[in-house]
Amino acid sequence: MPDPTESGLTPRAALLRPLQRPVNYLMRALRSAYFPIQGIWYFLRRPYFYPLFVGRLLPLSIISFLVYFILFAFAFLPQLAFLAIFHGWAGALINATVLVLGEGLVVIQGIFEGFFVDECRVDVFDATLIDKGLTDLVAPQRILFYDAPNPVKMLGKPTVRAEYNPWSFKQIAELIFFLPLNLVPYVGTPAFIMITGSRLGKLSHHRWFKLRGLDRKAIKKETKLRSWEYLWFGTVGMLLELIPILNFFFLLTSSAGAALWAARVEERARVRVGRPTTAEDQAAWRDADEPIYHDDPV
């Protein structure tokens, strides 16, 4: 048996070494899963975000309530009775609830989310980046009013196509395809939430990738590098989206959480290469005719 001291490790370090990898995975999962929760607190503490929700999404939240009311009134009990045959009443109650919430999510995503909500999510994402001192990342792709009193008021019209989460029939079809997982006892509902959450997580930084000018190949590379983190970010985001009535509110807070995550990566990468992270430093670099930095982390 090799002596741990020969490899330069203390006995304690050698004993803990097998735990480093699982602990690392656990910490990465917890950090990424926390960002959607952090986004809620961040959003609530900044009143300038409130008009985005009240003016644009509050009416849709009322429609969301009607969708879920109809589904629970007419579809919940038949599905509960059917699932009780295989799951028992306790398991059937959980699975039937998630199944109906998933059906409502299909309706809401298919009709409203891609057409009425995406622009609002882009505004929340961009305003959060500006608030974190990353104005130079947003400026090339939309008009900004630098004398505005807050980041939301700074936002003008995008100068190029701006999407937070591009709507696609494939996304809706996948959601429908995986809905029957809720029929599987015990593991079906967690599997449904995690599988759909994984895709949701990977799309959460679509806007950030576009702001950095990444092509499809580079985007694929980055999503692969962070696939573990996107799984847990998306799982928490999916759980929040399944909450009736509040799901549109949580769409905005999760967008803020995704921007906070992107800002953290940007700031750390800029520190590593000595680039500016504050608005004042960025202005000084621009005055010095330095090229605008876009992070391409590995």
Side-chain angles (χ1 to χ4, degrees):
M1 182 175 179
D3 186 355
T5 57
E6 293 180 359
S7 59
L9 296 175
T10 64
R12 182 179 179 183
L15 184 64
L16 295 177
R17 188 172 186 178
L19 298 176
Q20 289 180 353
R21 186 177 181 88
V23 168
N24 178 50
Y25 271 90
L26 176 62
M27 296 305 299
R28 286 165 55 195
L30 290 174
R31 280 195 297 264
S32 56
Y34 176 68
F35 279 113
I37 309 300
Q38 184 182 5
I40 298 173
W41 180 243
Y42 176 86
F43 190 98
L44 291 174
R45 291 187 63 191
R46 286 158 178 79
Y48 51 75
F49 280 130
Y50 296 173
L52 295 177
F53 175 71
V54 175
R56 303 187 196 182
L57 300 188
L58 188 58
L60 294 181
S61 296
I62 297 173
I63 297 174
S64 169
F65 169 76
L66 294 175
V67 169
Y68 283 112
F69 177 80
I70 293 171
L71 284 172
F72 273 96
F74 297 100
F76 177 70
L77 288 178
Q79 292 178 96
L80 175 64
F82 176 76
L83 289 172
I85 300 173
F86 306 98
H87 297 251
W89 287 106
L93 182 63
I94 297 173
N95 286 45
T97 300
V98 175
L99 184 59
V100 173
L101 291 175
E103 292 163 352
L105 189 62
V106 170
V107 174
I108 291 168
Q109 282 193 354
I111 299 177
F112 304 112
E113 191 171 314
F115 302 101
F116 301 105
V117 183
D118 198 74
E119 180 183 351
C120 195
R121 300 187 78 181
V122 168
D123 288 348
V124 170
F125 191 91
D126 289 0
T128 302
L129 291 181
I130 291 171
D131 183 51
K132 302 303 288 185
L134 297 172
T135 307
D136 65 312
L137 196 61
V138 180
Q141 296 197 23
R142 72 185 303 164
I143 299 170
L144 296 178
F145 303 105
Y146 290 95
D147 57 347
N150 61 64
V152 172
K153 294 286 187 181
M154 283 182 64
L155 301 176
K157 292 289 185 182
T159 54
V160 297
R161 183 176 179 178
E163 294 176 319
Y164 178 83
N165 186 347
W167 188 94
S168 69
F169 177 76
K170 179 182 178 182
Q171 183 178 348
I172 305 300
E174 286 183 352
L175 192 57
I176 296 172
F177 178 80
F178 289 116
L179 265 177
L181 280 173
N182 290 284
L183 302 176
V184 180
Y186 305 114
V187 298
T189 295
F192 167 74
I193 294 173
M194 293 181 70
I195 291 172
T196 53
S198 176
R199 177 171 176 80
L200 184 70
K202 290 175 182 177
L203 290 172
S204 64
H205 276 159
H206 176 82
R207 174 63 177 165
W208 179 40
F209 296 150
K210 292 300 181 181
L211 287 173
R212 290 163 52 201
L214 302 187
D215 57 22
R216 182 172 296 184
K217 183 178 180 180
I219 291 174
K220 186 176 180 180
K221 178 182 177 181
E222 291 223 7
T223 53
K224 184 177 180 180
L225 286 172
R226 297 193 186 93
S227 59
W228 177 249
E229 286 84 355
Y230 286 136
L231 167 63
W232 295 103
F233 179 94
T235 296
V236 175
M238 185 67 181
L239 287 170
L240 293 173
E241 282 196 37
L242 289 173
I243 298 176
I245 307 175
L246 293 176
N247 50 352
F248 283 117
F249 171 73
F250 288 133
L251 284 175
L252 298 189
T253 60
S254 292
S255 303
L260 291 172
W261 183 7
R264 180 178 180 180
V265 177
E266 285 280 344
E267 289 165 1
R268 289 186 171 186
R270 294 177 184 212
V271 167
R272 284 201 302 270
V273 297
R275 292 290 185 169
T277 58
T278 66
E280 293 79 7
D281 289 342
Q282 290 164 9
W285 278 74
R286 284 196 298 269
D287 292 342
D289 294 325
E290 288 287 342
I292 294 176
Y293 166 71
H294 291 291
D295 171 42
D296 189 8
V298 176

